[in-house]
Amino acid sequence: MTRSRARVIVEEAAVAERVAAVLDVADFERNDERNDERSDVTIVSHGRLDQAGDSTGPMVVLCKGTGRRAALELIASKALRYMVPVDDRLEDALLTILGKLAGADLFGLDRYVRHGGLLRTWTAEDSQAKARILREIGARAQRLGCPQLIADLFLSAIDEMAINAIERHIRAQLGPIEIVAAAEVGRFAVAVRDRVGQLRPEHVLGSLVRGGAQKAAGMALDASSAQLGFRIMFDTLSTLAINVERGRRTEVIGVIDLGKSLREYRDTVPGFGCFVNETPE
Amino acid sequence: MLERLIEKRPDGRTTVMLSGFIDETADLEALLGDVEGEIALDLSAVQRINSIGAHRWIITLARLTAHRRVTVEAVPYSVGMQANYVANFFARAEVLSCLAPYACATCETSTNLLIHRDEVSLRAPTRWCKRCKNELVFDELDGYLDFLVRNRS
Ligand SMILES: [Zn+2]
């Protein structure tokens, strides 16, 4: 099997070094000098995006110091599918995305809590079950040392992840959805899984585009609330990852990184990944 | 679940205190539809609102505020977050106050404090820690109070 190839367009030498180390571990070959040949992935700093226009393959954007709002605007305006914040978790986040892009299984929380473990799995078929699970997740967050308001933000995101999935399951008469929690030191993650596999990246990114319009002009009374739901996820999570096996299943993963003040948390560049496996139907 | 507590004020207005969750199970029409005259909505006990609840809220408030005065008080953090996403979140209601997040760097504590819209200039108003008397830090981004001041007359 040939090694996957990555083109790297990164301005800061220190960051470039860190990226090179990750490429080694992920068994990627660098492809910088041969831009006429196909790259399997391009890794680019957000400040160098204009140089990546001729790149082939998926583009992973490394984002540093812009704040959350500008990072989300960038995702919306460029329809970015993969963003990695340049912070002390860069290596893990990049390794996760590269592994999935190179063909590893897209699904699972283990790639987001590499140094921790599974806490609990629940099933939810309706709003009552969801409310009970959210209470349990809130209590877990507190035990992990998560400040109350950040825990509330996390629960808001999980509420949106879950209600979307429950509604899809009710429509398709598929029974309960699955909710899974995992943790490691300084990190708490929850996955919501359905067996529908309908979610489309355009819809997820559309929530950011439409979000700007609703902020300025208001929400139409007949608008769908689902896009507002994704807007909430983007605004309240440290990392949002969406895995779709078209026609089969969806997994939405929300992660919070602990140890920040609310203000810092709200201003942090989020990690984002939207992975779609198109094959089955 | 969302519940209400109704109180008639001496000035003839009705205070409706909502408590619980504004979500897909909340029947806002049943909780607010039969209240007559001027309404003061106290949201201090609302714990969370989700996108379906927000959508219903916007529809209910549009109707509720069409022909009468409605004020909103003590908007909690979770509702304020969502109010900033949608320009018509409170329809024609006047938002008078909110519970805003502050933190004390000395005591390493966080607290939600009531602030009135008239106290907000470009920045959040100054508050002091009850315990150590130092100035508290406003623990949100500068744009967080937009929903409180955007319709200020
Ligand atoms: Zn103090």
Side-chain angles (χ1 to χ4, degrees):
Chain A
M1 205 175 109
T2 55
R3 290 168 87 195
S4 298
R5 287 199 293 217
R7 183 182 178 196
V8 181
I9 310 170
V10 173
E11 61 228 288
E12 254 185 85
V15 177
E17 252 174 60
R18 294 174 70 186
V19 170
V22 174
L23 290 177
D24 273 348
V25 176
D27 204 23
F28 270 67
E29 182 184 348
R30 276 188 73 151
N31 192 33
D32 299 1
E33 309 307 321
R34 295 173 288 160
N35 293 338
D36 52 322
E37 290 178 42
R38 205 186 136 69
S39 294
D40 297 291
V41 57
T42 299
I43 300 166
V44 55
S45 311
H46 77 270
R48 293 278 173 92
L49 263 172
D50 55 333
Q51 294 176 27
D54 59 342
S55 289
T56 54
M59 194 156 67
V60 180
V61 176
L62 307 182
C63 191
K64 183 182 179 183
T66 65
R68 185 182 292 260
R69 199 169 302 162
L72 294 180
E73 278 166 17
L74 194 65
I75 290 173
S77 64
K78 307 278 185 192
L80 301 179
R81 298 263 290 262
Y82 314 98
M83 177 172 277
V84 174
V86 179
D87 58 18
D88 54 5
R89 289 183 180 271
L90 176 137
E91 283 81 357
D92 276 354
L94 190 56
L95 200 54
T96 293
I97 289 180
L98 290 179
K100 289 165 83 158
L101 291 178
D105 187 8
L106 299 184
F107 289 74
L109 262 183
D110 50 334
R111 291 174 186 278
Y112 295 86
V113 279
R114 288 174 175 275
H115 317 286
L118 200 69
L119 292 177
R120 172 105 202 244
T121 301
W122 298 269
T123 57
E125 66 287 344
D126 57 21
S127 295
Q128 283 67 39
K130 175 182 65 120
R132 178 174 44 78
I133 295 163
L134 286 175
R135 269 198 305 279
E136 286 186 42
I137 291 173
R140 295 262 181 183
Q142 282 206 317
R143 286 206 291 278
L144 289 166
C146 182
Q148 182 64 50
L149 290 181
I150 295 180
D152 288 346
L153 292 177
F154 190 42
L155 293 180
S156 290
I158 300 166
D159 193 340
E160 299 301 336
M161 289 150 59
I163 193 64
N164 279 342
I166 288 170
E167 288 204 335
R168 282 194 289 270
H169 265 221
I170 288 173
R171 274 199 300 274
Q173 298 185 313
L174 283 171
I177 61 156
E178 194 176 72
I179 301 178
V180 185
E184 63 185 38
V185 174
R187 174 168 266 211
F188 190 21
V190 169
V192 172
R193 295 170 182 156
D194 74 37
R195 285 177 280 120
V196 179
Q198 266 179 356
L199 205 55
R200 294 189 170 272
E202 313 84 79
H203 183 82
V204 176
L205 295 172
S207 69
L208 289 176
V209 177
R210 202 175 288 191
Q214 288 181 340
K215 185 164 182 160
M219 186 180 190
L221 299 186
D222 59 353
S224 153
S225 57
Q227 297 228 322
L228 182 59
F230 280 109
R231 173 80 216 183
I232 292 166
M233 292 178 219
F234 272 115
D235 241 5
T236 56
L237 293 167
S238 298
T239 297
L240 169 64
I242 295 165
N243 302 317
V244 183
E245 191 175 345
R246 188 84 81 207
R248 290 263 175 86
R249 55 181 174 149
T250 309
E251 177 181 62
V252 182
I253 294 173
V255 179
I256 44 170
D257 292 330
L258 307 172
K260 292 188 173 73
S261 75
L262 178 66
R263 188 187 172 95
E264 288 164 348
Y265 184 80
R266 290 271 295 119
D267 201 28
T268 301
V269 171
F272 174 58
C274 189
F275 305 86
V276 182
N277 181 343
E278 300 281 357
T279 38
E281 192 64 65
Chain B
M1 198 164 79
L2 187 70
E3 295 176 317
R4 72 174 185 184
L5 191 71
I6 289 193
E7 197 185 334
K8 202 84 181 162
R9 288 187 182 180
D11 62 5
R13 291 203 292 150
T14 305
T15 299
V16 182
M17 185 188 216
L18 295 176
S19 62
F21 301 94
I22 303 178
D23 60 12
E24 68 281 4
T25 66
D27 191 346
L28 287 163
E29 286 297 329
L31 293 171
L32 298 173
D34 62 344
V35 185
E36 293 177 343
E38 285 192 20
I39 301 175
L41 281 173
D42 180 338
L43 303 185
S44 59
V46 172
Q47 293 177 58
R48 188 165 61 243
I49 178 168
N50 71 10
S51 60
I52 296 177
H55 189 230
R56 290 184 183 175
W57 171 265
I58 290 164
I59 293 170
T60 303
L61 265 274
R63 197 185 53 72
L64 205 66
T65 61
H67 301 293
R68 63 172 136 193
R69 182 165 185 249
V70 176
T71 58
V72 181
E73 295 165 19
V75 177
Y77 179 64
S78 57
V79 177
M81 275 282 293
Q82 299 237 7
N84 277 327
Y85 295 139
V86 186
N88 56 341
F89 189 85
F90 289 111
R92 293 157 61 112
E94 292 170 56
V95 185
L96 300 182
S97 60
C98 76
L99 294 165
Y102 283 83
C104 178
T106 314
C107 304
E108 294 184 350
T109 52
S110 339
T111 175
N112 287 304
L113 297 174
L114 190 74
I115 61 177
H116 194 274
R117 65 176 179 177
D118 295 336
E119 293 181 279
V120 181
S121 53
L122 289 173
R123 302 176 57 226
T126 307
R127 291 286 189 270
W128 286 270
C129 177
K130 276 193 178 135
R131 188 152 26 143
C132 70
K133 313 293 180 204
N134 285 331
E135 188 175 329
L136 295 171
V137 181
F138 180 62
D139 204 11
E140 243 291 348
L141 306 180
D142 292 335
Y144 174 71
L145 294 171
D146 284 355
F147 72 91
L148 186 60
V149 295
R150 68 186 168 206
N151 295 324
R152 188 164 55 182
S153 42

